[in-house]
Amino acid sequence: MTVQVHQCSANVIQELLEELYHAYSGLNEGRVADYIPELAKACPDDFGIVIATPGGRIYEVGATRKEFTIQSISKPFIYALALKLLSLEFIASKIDVEPSGDAFNAISLDPESGKPRNPMINAGAIAASAQICDAFPGNSEEQLLDYFEQLAGRRLSINFDVYRSEKETGHRNRAIGHLLRNFNIIESDPEPALDLYFRQCAISVTCRDLAVMATTLACQGRNPFTGGQAISPEITVRVLALMGTCGMYDFAGQWLHDVGIPAKSGVAGGVMAVIPGRLGIATYSPSLDSFGNSVRGVAVCRQLSRGVGLSLFNQYYQVDATIRRSYLGSQRTSRRWRSDRELRILDPHRDEVQIIHVQGVLDFGGIEQMAAELAKLSDKVRILILDLAHVTECPVESSGLLDRQLCSMEDKGVDILLSRAGRLPMVSMPDWRITERVEAYEHLDSALEAAEEMLLSLYDTEAPPATVTVLADPRYPGFLGQLPDEHRVVLAERMSLRLFESGDVVIRGGDPGDELFLVQSGSFDIALKISSGDGVHHSTRLATFGAGLCFGEIGFIAQNPRTADIVATEAGACWVLHRDDFDALSHSHPQVVISLLKALTCDMGTKLSQTSVQLTLMEHY
Ligand code: DON
């Protein structure tokens, strides 16, 4: 799913960024890197801050579109590419994952194996670039830029002035490359690896690009702005862990203590920080501290962490945030109107249905909360409706747990119905063994109706109702049963039987309300058109009427135009009383009209009472 970029302004987050910008614009400590001569041309006053969100919102202030070279911020992404192209095991045989505690350009190799301590220091990054060179001999630059395009959401390019400047002066890195060759970490001529490394460090980015790349990492490797999966979730986890322990080099320990956010810095002045699952942060300011990290960038991230609680070690506990609502079937009925006979059978058993609405991410914590709620279910519950409308994700790692929990309930004889799982393509829950045993419903109302039908089939032990085809039949079900027989006979003479096929529009919104419908057979839905705000309309069921029930009575009595469409959802037939006949009856048989109006009033009262109870309960639960 891609999100539209939404440039945000004039809200508290934008104000926060502007306050940070003004607070640290005057921080003029540090110095611009010059060991790569081209980098010395950077302007120390340049300063930009960007925050990007998985929902596609971007907040930015200052020099956020100014290009600079990515330098070491390329390293986590190159490491991810090496893991993707080769294997975790192979790369582990070449590069360790331990913080070195040394500077970024230290020759931190394991004395025995010669392996670089981690892929965030130059030695580890050059070793990673070498593996990519071996995997992509000859054409690695194009592959590199294709890959970074997926991460940034736009085509990036190489700053060849910086590339040449570093290539001409990169003697220390060249020594590292040959030392890696000596230990056979690089198994061929190190020059191509060094060349690729110098090119990757010279990729031009903006502060905004880095924020998008950070958000891609925050979204488990999926770029929320393009929808592309640039890095797998499994590799993203590893990259973030290394950014947390090694991303800021020999400042990493202090960083984790003070800031607590996985981050990576670059000597051109960029800092990229990631709040997994929440945010991407980027800053740009070329003046560096003694560790090679941007002075202002570090200050901004430290203030963000402390000021608004972004540290990973400062996560707020969620007490049962997953359970949105949990209630029994008597608190919520489907919108299929039931006949008196059906109500007589259903009502005593409605609390054998439990409805649970869950929300958020069904990660381990979410599953734990669900399991605790399910463990509280009464023994009499035999049908569970699980509504997932507000679930945003069900990670594969935890969907197996949920499947086991639900299967154990099924083994105890509880039928499980899912509703509104559409946001979660079942593919995101591949381990759900119950999927072939679980009915999934697009709407909660449909699941409620299915549960009622299950109860009716369980408990309807009465003789099936007589099939009444004649309105005057005293066994006629539904509200007309309240009329004296002689009145029903008179009424029957004035009503005509109208047949409908499935899909027929029986009443159209705006039509004059001059007909009353009594259902003889079939099923008829009132649909409500709802606009989803972006001009898209969809219809949702307002009510369904079956044999013995009436509809169209409100418009008929008030003589108002119809307010909604009514459609036959199953082939059937209705007796129809037209207004002209109703008016004639008012003169010829006023008593019949009075008892009809009394019956209609009672029926509308029942519907109104049920509706208001449902609405009240929905607010309560
Ligand atoms: O290899 C170098 O020295 C540079 N191309 C990258 C170093 C760097 O960005 C260190 N990060 N703070």
Side-chain angles (χ1 to χ4, degrees):
M1 176 183 82
T2 59
V3 291
Q4 295 303 318
V5 175
H6 181 56
Q7 202 66 33
C8 290
S9 59
N11 76 14
V12 66
I13 308 300
Q14 182 65 29
E15 287 168 15
L16 173 69
L17 252 59
E18 286 164 9
E19 287 160 11
L20 285 168
Y21 179 81
H22 294 300
Y24 295 109
S25 293
L27 181 56
N28 294 317
E29 298 163 15
R31 53 192 292 275
V32 173
D34 57 8
Y35 74 97
I36 301 173
E38 194 63 21
L39 295 185
K41 296 178 182 174
C43 171
D45 294 334
D46 282 343
F47 183 26
I49 309 172
V50 182
I51 284 180
T53 72
R57 289 178 295 282
I58 292 186
Y59 304 86
E60 56 186 303
V61 62
T64 59
R65 310 297 178 98
K66 178 152 193 174
E67 297 214 345
F68 55 95
T69 52
I70 193 171
Q71 295 301 331
S72 283
I73 300 171
S74 64
K75 293 172 178 173
F77 300 111
I78 291 299
Y79 181 66
L81 184 58
L83 293 177
K84 181 178 174 181
L85 294 175
L86 296 130
S87 69
L88 302 183
E89 295 71 23
F90 177 75
I91 295 299
S93 72
K94 297 289 185 181
I95 307 167
D96 274 335
V97 290
E98 289 298 329
S100 67
D102 294 330
F104 64 83
N105 57 0
I107 301 181
S108 285
L109 306 183
D110 180 290
E112 297 299 315
S113 66
K115 283 189 341 186
R117 298 294 188 193
N118 65 70
M120 300 298 153
I121 54 176
N122 288 10
I126 294 167
S129 300
Q131 311 318 319
I132 292 170
C133 265
D134 290 349
F136 278 123
N139 189 18
S140 47
E141 181 177 311
E142 269 317 292
Q143 304 284 353
L144 190 70
L145 293 175
D146 290 346
Y147 172 57
F148 273 84
E149 181 175 358
Q150 292 177 45
L151 294 163
R154 75 178 182 100
R155 193 71 181 176
L156 302 179
S157 59
I158 291 173
N159 179 325
F160 282 98
D161 294 337
V162 171
Y163 158 69
R164 276 189 291 273
S165 177
E166 179 159 26
K167 191 176 176 69
E168 288 156 11
T169 59
H171 310 303
R172 187 178 180 89
N173 283 334
R174 206 161 263 114
I176 289 172
H178 285 274
L179 201 54
L180 291 168
R181 176 71 187 98
N182 175 61
F183 282 101
N184 210 34
I185 297 299
I186 298 179
E187 298 176 19
S188 56
D189 174 6
E191 277 309 317
L194 287 160
D195 189 69
L196 177 61
Y197 172 73
F198 294 143
R199 288 173 191 267
Q200 78 192 48
C201 287
I203 291 175
S204 279
V205 291
T206 65
C207 194
R208 183 190 169 94
D209 290 329
L210 290 183
V212 170
M213 296 164 82
T215 311
T216 298
L217 291 173
C219 293
Q220 298 184 309
R222 184 180 56 81
N223 183 326
F225 299 92
T226 64
Q229 190 75 40
I231 306 174
S232 72
E234 298 74 22
I235 289 177
T236 303
V237 170
R238 295 166 186 273
V239 167
L240 288 173
L242 283 162
M243 286 171 60
T245 56
C246 314
M248 304 300 270
Y249 309 116
D250 40 346
F251 184 64
Q254 193 69 46
W255 174 269
L256 215 48
H257 175 271
D258 291 353
V259 182
I261 300 174
K264 186 71 202 77
S265 61
V267 286
V271 174
M272 176 183 75
V274 179
I275 317 288
R278 295 283 188 282
L279 283 182
I281 302 169
T283 64
Y284 169 57
S285 183
S287 293
L288 308 178
D289 59 24
S290 59
F291 301 102
N293 303 320
S294 165
V295 173
R296 290 177 184 167
V298 168
V300 165
C301 290
R302 181 184 280 120
Q303 181 51 35
L304 274 174
S305 172
R306 291 177 176 167
V308 293
L310 291 185
S311 166
L312 294 196
F313 308 108
N314 183 25
Q315 295 306 304
Y316 290 89
Y317 52 89
Q318 297 187 13
V319 176
D320 297 348
T322 299
I323 307 303
R324 184 183 176 91
R325 291 183 189 163
S326 182
Y327 50 87
L328 291 168
S330 58
Q331 315 301 336
R332 183 94 178 250
T333 61
S334 82
R335 288 196 287 269
R336 169 175 282 279
W337 288 111
R338 296 293 178 177
S339 65
D340 295 344
R341 178 180 180 280
E342 288 172 320
L343 291 175
R344 188 171 60 251
I345 296 165
L346 275 174
D347 287 351
H349 300 285
R350 285 190 185 276
D351 284 353
E352 294 174 32
V353 179
Q354 181 86 27
I355 301 103
I356 299 180
H357 299 248
V358 291
Q359 64 184 1
V361 178
L362 296 186
D363 54 11
F364 179 81
I367 303 297
E368 185 278 327
Q369 292 169 39
M370 273 188 66
E373 183 69 16
L374 294 173
K376 290 189 291 188
L377 289 196
S378 153
D379 290 341
K380 70 181 181 184
V381 169
R382 59 190 315 153
I383 300 170
L384 167 67
I385 296 177
L386 208 46
D387 187 75
L388 306 178
H390 298 277
V391 172
T392 53
E393 194 61 60
C394 185
V396 168
E397 299 84 352
S398 50
S399 64
L401 277 177
L402 178 57
D403 171 56
R404 283 170 53 187
Q405 173 63 47
L406 297 181
C407 279
S408 73
M409 298 193 63
E410 285 223 318
D411 296 343
K412 291 173 192 157
V414 177
D415 289 311
I416 295 167
L417 311 181
L418 290 185
S419 64
R420 299 191 288 183
R423 286 174 62 112
L424 288 169
M426 296 313 272
V427 72
S428 76
M429 300 178 255
D431 300 335
W432 274 34
R433 284 183 289 115
I434 59 174
T435 37
E436 64 280 3
R437 289 154 54 191
V438 169
E439 288 296 323
Y441 293 85
E442 187 182 355
H443 302 291
L444 172 59
D445 185 45
S446 316
L448 287 165
E449 181 175 355
E452 290 169 356
E453 294 299 326
M454 290 162 80
L455 290 176
L456 285 170
S457 63
L458 269 173
Y459 295 107
D460 184 356
T461 55
E462 297 176 8
T467 304
V468 173
T469 56
V470 177
L471 185 59
D473 187 323
R475 294 169 300 164
Y476 182 86
F479 90 108
L480 268 190
Q482 300 162 28
L483 267 63
D485 289 352
E486 63 278 15
H487 288 183
R488 195 175 28 251
V489 170
V490 171
L491 204 53
E493 290 161 1
R494 299 289 191 294
M495 297 185 84
S496 58
L497 191 63
R498 198 176 297 172
L499 305 182
F500 298 99
E501 293 304 322
S502 175
D504 284 355
V505 178
V506 179
I507 286 179
R508 196 176 295 281
D511 288 354
D514 55 11
E515 291 182 317
L516 174 68
F517 294 80
L518 306 183
V519 180
Q520 180 214 54
S521 62
S523 182
F524 299 84
D525 274 17
I526 295 185
L528 188 63
K529 287 189 175 51
I530 295 177
S531 162
S532 52
D534 48 4
V536 175
H537 286 81
H538 65 272
S539 70
T540 188
R541 175 168 81 164
L542 202 61
T544 294
F545 304 100
L549 297 171
C550 77
F551 60 81
E553 70 276 26
I554 296 174
F556 181 76
I557 291 172
Q559 299 191 44
N560 286 339
R562 301 300 187 185
T563 55
D565 294 354
I566 294 187
V567 177
T569 47
E570 290 169 20
C574 293
W575 279 290
V576 182
L577 177 64
H578 193 275
R579 169 160 316 289
D580 298 345
D581 293 308
F582 177 79
D583 293 345
L585 270 177
S586 306
H587 298 293
S588 64
H589 296 81
Q591 286 308 312
V592 173
V593 168
I594 289 171
S595 61
L596 174 61
L597 289 176
K598 274 173 65 177
L600 284 173
T601 308
C602 289
D603 187 60
M604 282 195 288
T606 303
K607 289 173 180 173
L608 188 59
S609 158
Q610 281 187 21
T611 304
S612 52
V613 165
Q614 288 292 301
L615 281 173
T616 307
L617 291 171
M618 278 169 66
E619 284 166 16
H620 176 70
Y621 285 101

